[in-house]
Amino acid sequence: MLMNGKDLLAVANANFFAVPAFNVSDYAMLNGIFEISEEKQSPVIIAIHPDELSHIGVDMLPAVIAGAHRATVPVTIHLDHGADRRQALLAIQSGFTSVMIDGSALPFDENVALTRDVVEIAHAVGLSVEGELGTIGKMDDYGEGGASTIIYTDPDQAVEFVRATGVDSLAVAIGTSHGIYPSTMKPELKLDLLEQIKAKTHLPLVLHGGSNNPDDEIAGAVKRGINKINISSDIKVAYHTKMREMLADAEMREPNTIQPPSIAAMKVTAAQKIDLFNAAGKAALY
């Protein structure tokens, strides 16, 4: 059931749902995400950021690939927020089936040139590429980064970007931020802008910074053409909050005692996202 991102998201685009892209940073999290995806019969994207890849090491990729082949649901293994050609090449050589090249902080022409270069490399070996136009905000300095100021995606620029690069999917900036929003801040997505971008590009669109947003806005984004949503902070908070509870008992020392409750807590959060994205049961469409 391992496939590239283009084939995975084409089905989502045609059937009005979003595939969850869960960021994993250890083997227990990986297994938990496979388990809940199969329980919910949802296609899934295993997303690994370069920082996460440096932590788990490329030697873990054969295990990720083996898990994808054993899975009873469609799986894409995706490099999240690759920053340059070198990172994209490492992912391709290591067995990823999809890569994101994030040149969103660059001037438009430089973003196009970088993205087109990676597209040419990946397409030559049958892999897919996600680009990004506009900038995602950031709530802290952890994880996937982002910009201090959100630059919203321009619909006309999006058309030109897609035409000039040949990307298979496009991450858009409509008001999300990476990380967990403080209680004093209420995020608000520009769903009207999303509708304009979708109407002009017709491409599978991607929402980054999908954690901690109001459910009604996320559901609205899915209805308006978002086909992939990245979830990192929410599942990691669930996983590590439960782990801290377990470790409060000083006698706890065996991972097989500490981690199962943490995985179970993470799976509850992941299941809620799968339902919210209208992805439950959609494995049957592949």
Side-chain angles (χ1 to χ4, degrees), residues 13 29 83 202 233:
N13 197 20
M29 289 183 72
H202 306 290
S233 298

Side-chain angles (χ1 to χ4, degrees), residues 108 133 153-163 170 197 201:
F108 180 78
L133 187 63
T153 303
D154 177 89
D156 292 325
Q157 262 198 343
V159 173
E160 174 59 19
F161 185 83
V162 170
R163 184 200 64 77
L170 180 66
I197 298 167
T201 64

Side-chain angles (χ1 to χ4, degrees), residues 5-19 43 45 162 167-170 194-195 197-206 221-229 277-279 282 285-286:
K6 180 179 180 179
D7 294 340
L8 189 83
L9 295 182
V11 177
N13 197 20
N15 291 276
F16 308 101
F17 68 93
V19 180
I45 296 170
V162 170
V167 289
D168 303 294
S169 59
L170 180 66
L194 171 60
E195 287 182 332
I197 298 167
K198 189 71 172 189
K200 286 179 177 287
T201 64
H202 306 290
L203 203 68
L205 299 180
V206 179
V222 173
K223 290 178 181 177
R224 290 167 174 82
I226 290 293
N227 301 121
K228 170 179 173 279
I229 302 179
F277 302 168
N278 195 30
K282 295 302 192 296
L285 296 175
Y286 291 82

Side-chain angles (χ1 to χ4, degrees), residues 1-3 8 19 34 37 41-45 68 71-76 282-286:
M1 297 297 283
L2 179 61
M3 60 178 60
L8 189 83
V19 180
F34 276 138
S37 299
Q41 280 298 289
S42 168
V44 66
I45 296 170
T72 59
V73 297
V75 180
T76 291
K282 295 302 192 296
L285 296 175
Y286 291 82

Side-chain angles (χ1 to χ4, degrees), residues 74-156:
V75 180
T76 291
I77 304 171
H78 178 73
L79 177 70
D80 185 29
H81 288 285
D84 53 38
R85 191 178 199 261
R86 178 188 59 82
Q87 289 182 349
L89 281 171
L90 176 62
I92 291 168
Q93 292 164 351
S94 300
F96 285 74
T97 59
S98 175
V99 298
M100 178 189 186
I101 184 67
D102 182 1
S104 60
L106 300 173
F108 180 78
D109 290 345
E110 293 180 30
N111 188 2
V112 166
L114 173 63
T115 305
R116 182 171 56 222
D117 180 43
V118 172
V119 166
E120 290 173 354
I121 295 168
H123 282 185
V125 290
L127 305 184
S128 55
V129 178
E130 173 189 333
E132 182 170 336
L133 187 63
T135 58
I136 311 299
K138 65 174 181 177
M139 292 293 103
D140 52 44
D141 292 325
Y142 288 105
E144 296 81 5
S148 56
T149 302
I150 296 173
I151 300 174
Y152 292 94
T153 303
D154 177 89
D156 292 325

